[in-house]
Amino acid sequence: MMAEAFDLMVKFWTSDGPFEHQGRYYKGGRPVDDGPNLAFHLKPETQPYPPVAIAGLSASSPTLKFAGTRGLIPMSLCWSPDHLLSHWRVYTEGAEKAGLAVDRNRWRVGCEIYIAETDAEARRKAVEGPLGECWRDYMLPLMAKFGYINGCKHDQSVPGLRCHRRLFGRPCLDRG
């Protein structure tokens, strides 16, 4: 589904005229222009199209392998060294399969950064403020629910969510 959606976006960006798309998941296309005020106007300034980054979260993310096959910018949304290594491995595998070169300088790893006068103040404000609340009450429970919590662990031998108690000072969920 993602591959078809991406290919359809690229077709909109790179085609010069009307087209019909009858895919497995999507149907539609670009109609014939009907005057200057009813013409297709979403052509990108960047050619052939803007740089696209695709994010992966799970270990050996198939999404990042897809990114490699299309030469897209890989973006990891996890912090586990094991997961990060697997992300680069599958991205590289996808690129090699497609005959594309990889450039580690394009790889992105998403994370929150809080800046204050001191590291201690930044840590306190991050943990006790909206950032900590978001992670404690939303992100970690959500990631645990869908089986992605291991992507947050600095060490996979740490059970449950105990890896976050030291950071947040209280349990994130009713387990671990």
Side-chain angles (χ1 to χ4, degrees), residues 134-155:
C134 176
W135 275 97
R136 192 172 41 252
D137 299 338
Y138 176 70
M139 290 300 296
L140 290 173
L142 182 69
M143 293 175 88
K145 178 179 180 179
F146 291 105
Y148 293 126
I149 200 67
N150 287 344
C152 295
K153 293 181 180 182
H154 68 286
D155 181 342

Side-chain angles (χ1 to χ4, degrees), residues 1 4 24 27 49 58 72 82 86 93 111 127 131 135 139 154 161:
M1 186 179 258
E4 184 179 333
R24 180 174 175 190
K27 294 175 179 40
Y49 53 83
S58 61
L72 306 176
D82 298 332
S86 76
E93 287 171 5
C111 65
V127 170
L131 181 60
W135 275 97
M139 290 300 296
H154 68 286
L161 290 176

Side-chain angles (χ1 to χ4, degrees), residues 85-162:
L85 287 171
S86 76
H87 283 186
W88 186 251
R89 180 182 45 78
V90 296
Y91 177 76
T92 301
E93 287 171 5
E96 288 173 352
K97 181 179 177 185
L100 300 173
V102 296
D103 178 0
R104 195 173 278 234
N105 290 320
R106 297 182 72 212
W107 186 18
R108 306 294 184 254
V109 178
C111 65
E112 287 82 4
I113 297 174
Y114 197 105
I115 300 172
E117 290 295 321
T118 66
D119 289 350
E121 179 186 4
R123 183 178 182 84
R124 182 184 59 75
K125 285 183 173 182
V127 170
E128 295 174 7
L131 181 60
E133 179 182 3
C134 176
W135 275 97
R136 192 172 41 252
D137 299 338
Y138 176 70
M139 290 300 296
L140 290 173
L142 182 69
M143 293 175 88
K145 178 179 180 179
F146 291 105
Y148 293 126
I149 200 67
N150 287 344
C152 295
K153 293 181 180 182
H154 68 286
D155 181 342
Q156 296 304 308
S157 68
V158 175
L161 290 176
R162 288 191 185 106

